[in-house]
Amino acid sequence: MKKINIRTIAMFAAVLIILFLGCKKNDILAKADSEYEYLPQDVKQSCTVTETDFNSWFKSGKATENGLVEPANSVTFPHNNNCDFYKWSEQMFLWITSPASGGAYKSGGTVMESPVFYNVSAADKNGNRVLTPHAPNTIMSAVGNIVQTGPNRLPIIVDKDGRTFEVESQKEHEAVKNAENKSVEVGSIVSNANGLHSFIDTKGKLISSPKAIIDSKVHPENILQEFKQGNKAVFLDSKGHIVDTEQGQAGSSGALVAVNKSLVYYITMVNDVYAYFLTGVKDKKLNGNQFPTTAAARDSILAYAKANGLATPPDPDALAMELKTSWVEAKDLPNADSYITIKAKVPVYDKSNPKLWVLTNKSTTTTLALVGAHVVGSVAGHPEMIWATFEHQKNSPNTAYSYRDVNDKIKQVKADSGTDWLFNVNADDTTKNTQRMTVKNNTIIIDSLHPELIYKPDVKRIMAWGVASDTIPNGEDKTPADSNSEIISINNAIRKMLVGNDIRKNYLLIGATWTFGGAQPDGSSYPYGGTPGAAIGTGRLANSTMETFFQSQSSNAVPSKTDHKAVTSCFYCHGYSLTPGGLSHVFDSIVALPTNKRNLLKIK
């Protein structure tokens, strides 16, 4: 009897162990599934890719784990509906992040590290930038911040209502217009106990109804004039309103640190077609009215390259592309094996003063992990280019959003929570994105009494999939849920068809934007502002690693055709013109590539 009891107990214990281990295994699998199914899986399949089409993207003709993807054909781009733009975006991202070796891709790394792309340098003291070709076994250089500028190439700031403005910095002998519309030089600015500002002229008299004098030509109503009041700045618009800013000073830009204590670094690149087109335009041999969108424009670029000793582009049908990428150091990075990595040189800062990091003339080589990418390119019918953005899935928590399910019902998704985010230590405690680091004159200023707070980032992606929560996103999608469903469904489709442990499964398309019929952008988002110049697709797009502190609120606070500063799009900074220099912030400042013709002239 005793033996039976022992045997029974032993068997019972074994069963318990098996059940425990089984449950534990199921828990682990469930966690893995939930990580993989970070996106809603019951979403309406409003934007998908067939398996046949997806296989055709791969060089081998079949999807393989981390296989080489070919670029989308931008010359024959169909542009029939939103999904065509999102497919183009996905294919281009998979292309640039493909492991590449042999043939034109001699990098041994990814396609964006190959000779197909060039690094764009930071501007020198004269404002010039140079293109550095990606040669095999060479190491790219990254910078510690990106400068945020608007359509007039002026610094931008955001006010406390989420509206975006450009700023003209204070000049010597700064003046304003008074109530009689006469120019009066400002001597000083004083504030009363209630914080109201008064402008005083050089003779000590009060200036009545002061209004800013704006020099810039593109949408001057969206520009502020900066005045100094001691160590503070006062911003005045052309109607006489003082604008209360959310953070930062004019002329500054924010820097960001991840939870692994790495600064976020940035690399800007252009492809060979862009570089040759730019060189031909500056050589006055190619038409520079707009980026190439046709076979004829492509052929003109190829002919110019051949005539001037430039290597033939292996992927000319990709047309002109510009990439802006964001990176963190891979050291101490959670889930480090889920990131695409490169070796790169990063700047060294003197951090002896914890509140003032001073840029030195030194650099160090480290391994960087890709956290974000803007993928921008010209396509048939769209010289304004497609503007797409991608992020690693563990970057930043989303705020709440909606989507349409397979039963055609709108469902709500709560804001992300938890602590396992790269740019947020506790999503539940985050009320807004707080800029704690300001870059000015090659120095990072820690804007806090407690500099250690920079290592506790609190970033959120305010509009999860690039559209506001309370408006019609574009002509095809009548609700935000419909637009969000397109982005979610294309992400689900791509992730499910990527084979095995393809590292690109860890990156998400956040959205893409363009204008109707390739119209000249007017800086607004659909349905506000001009038509057809308003941004469509996901017209309120932002990347939490690049537009971190310039994300608009997820609502249209100013739904007015004459005041759309709160409903701005990518084209607020990159629009108002279809010229390459009007769209690209780097085009005008890049120095043309050397050609055989120029080299011969130098020899003579």
Side-chain angles (χ1 to χ4, degrees), residues 338-398:
S338 69
Y339 292 83
I340 294 163
T341 58
I342 63 168
K343 287 283 187 183
K345 293 178 182 178
V346 298
V348 173
Y349 290 86
D350 178 354
K351 302 178 184 178
S352 54
N353 181 344
K355 293 186 178 182
L356 212 65
W357 297 2
V358 180
L359 183 68
T360 70
N361 58 2
K362 299 177 182 178
S363 65
T364 186
T365 300
T366 187
T367 300
L368 294 180
L370 180 68
V371 292
H374 287 328
V375 179
V376 182
S378 61
V379 301
H382 288 272
E384 84 286 9
M385 312 178 93
I386 300 173
W387 298 72
T389 199
F390 293 79
E391 295 197 43
H392 191 276
Q393 66 175 357
K394 300 306 292 184
N395 273 0
S396 309
N398 285 325

Side-chain angles (χ1 to χ4, degrees), residues 148-157 164-172 174-176 211-228 233-238 245 249-252 440 572:
Q148 302 284 358
T149 61
N152 293 285
R153 302 301 182 260
L154 296 172
I156 60 175
I157 58 173
T164 305
F165 297 88
E166 285 189 278
V167 178
E168 292 186 348
S169 59
Q170 181 168 345
K171 312 175 189 69
E172 191 175 0
E174 193 68 275
V176 295
K211 298 179 180 64
I213 300 173
I214 303 300
D215 296 327
S216 301
K217 303 302 182 184
V218 179
H219 279 264
E221 72 277 7
N222 293 353
I223 300 176
L224 306 178
Q225 191 175 2
E226 181 183 23
F227 298 87
K228 295 294 185 183
V234 176
F235 301 103
L236 182 70
D237 71 11
S238 58
T245 61
Q249 295 287 326
S252 67
K440 202 166 189 178
Y572 176 81

Side-chain angles (χ1 to χ4, degrees), residues 292-369:
T293 61
T294 65
R298 174 204 61 198
D299 292 344
S300 295
I301 295 169
L302 293 176
Y304 175 81
K306 183 177 181 179
N308 288 274
L310 297 169
T312 302
D315 303 298
D317 289 343
L319 295 181
M321 293 195 67
E322 182 178 330
L323 310 179
K324 186 178 289 183
T325 54
S326 54
W327 309 79
V328 296
E329 293 183 64
K331 182 181 179 182
D332 300 324
L333 188 63
N335 306 312
D337 58 353
S338 69
Y339 292 83
I340 294 163
T341 58
I342 63 168
K343 287 283 187 183
K345 293 178 182 178
V346 298
V348 173
Y349 290 86
D350 178 354
K351 302 178 184 178
S352 54
N353 181 344
K355 293 186 178 182
L356 212 65
W357 297 2
V358 180
L359 183 68
T360 70
N361 58 2
K362 299 177 182 178
S363 65
T364 186
T365 300
T366 187
T367 300
L368 294 180

Side-chain angles (χ1 to χ4, degrees), residues 341-488:
T341 58
I342 63 168
K343 287 283 187 183
K345 293 178 182 178
V346 298
V348 173
Y349 290 86
D350 178 354
K351 302 178 184 178
S352 54
N353 181 344
K355 293 186 178 182
L356 212 65
W357 297 2
V358 180
L359 183 68
T360 70
N361 58 2
K362 299 177 182 178
S363 65
T364 186
T365 300
T366 187
T367 300
L368 294 180
L370 180 68
V371 292
H374 287 328
V375 179
V376 182
S378 61
V379 301
H382 288 272
E384 84 286 9
M385 312 178 93
I386 300 173
W387 298 72
T389 199
F390 293 79
E391 295 197 43
H392 191 276
Q393 66 175 357
K394 300 306 292 184
N395 273 0
S396 309
N398 285 325
T399 57
Y401 66 89
S402 61
Y403 71 95
R404 192 174 293 278
D405 72 6
V406 290
N407 297 314
D408 222 30
K409 293 182 179 179
I410 292 179
K411 287 188 175 180
Q412 303 295 325
V413 177
K414 293 181 180 179
D416 288 330
S417 59
T419 59
D420 57 340
W421 304 98
L422 188 59
F423 297 106
N424 196 304
V425 293
N426 190 344
D428 299 314
D429 289 344
T430 302
T431 56
K432 66 176 182 177
N433 292 356
T434 305
Q435 181 177 321
R436 295 192 175 97
M437 306 175 73
T438 298
V439 184
K440 202 166 189 178
N441 299 326
N442 293 326
T443 299
I444 297 178
I445 304 164
I446 313 302
D447 303 321
S448 173
L449 295 174
H450 302 283
E452 70 278 3
L453 288 179
I454 65 170
Y455 299 113
K456 296 181 179 181
D458 55 358
V459 171
K460 279 193 173 184
R461 193 160 45 243
I462 295 173
M463 282 170 276
W465 311 111
V467 298
S469 61
D470 61 354
T471 191
I472 301 172
N474 54 70
E476 290 183 32
D477 299 316
K478 301 307 179 185
T479 71
D482 293 309
S483 178
N484 292 338
S485 296
E486 289 188 311
I487 301 299
I488 295 167

Side-chain angles (χ1 to χ4, degrees), residues 547-568:
E547 290 83 32
T548 314
F549 309 109
F550 291 93
Q551 297 183 68
S552 300
Q553 57 203 20
S554 185
S555 63
N556 290 320
V558 190
S560 164
K561 289 187 176 181
T562 59
D563 187 2
H564 51 73
K565 292 185 288 294
V567 289
T568 52

Side-chain angles (χ1 to χ4, degrees), residues 93-215:
F93 178 77
L94 294 177
W95 172 54
I96 67 170
T97 55
S98 291
S101 61
Y105 307 125
K106 301 174 183 177
S107 65
T110 59
V111 169
M112 63 181 161
E113 297 171 77
S114 77
V116 171
F117 283 89
Y118 291 74
N119 254 41
V120 179
S121 74
D124 63 18
K125 63 181 181 180
N126 296 317
N128 296 322
R129 303 173 187 268
V130 296
L131 295 175
T132 303
H134 292 179
N137 303 315
T138 58
I139 296 177
M140 290 188 280
S141 295
V143 297
N145 73 293
I146 48 178
V147 178
Q148 302 284 358
T149 61
N152 293 285
R153 302 301 182 260
L154 296 172
I156 60 175
I157 58 173
V158 178
D159 76 355
K160 291 192 174 181
D161 293 324
R163 300 179 299 171
T164 305
F165 297 88
E166 285 189 278
V167 178
E168 292 186 348
S169 59
Q170 181 168 345
K171 312 175 189 69
E172 191 175 0
H173 308 300
E174 193 68 275
V176 295
K177 290 182 179 179
N178 62 13
E180 288 77 37
N181 209 35
K182 294 181 179 179
S183 177
V184 180
E185 185 176 344
V186 177
S188 62
I189 301 173
V190 297
S191 302
N192 63 17
N194 296 321
L196 297 176
H197 301 287
S198 296
F199 286 70
I200 310 299
D201 68 17
T202 54
K203 297 180 180 179
K205 294 183 178 181
L206 178 70
I207 301 174
S208 59
S209 303
K211 298 179 180 64
I213 300 173
I214 303 300
D215 296 327

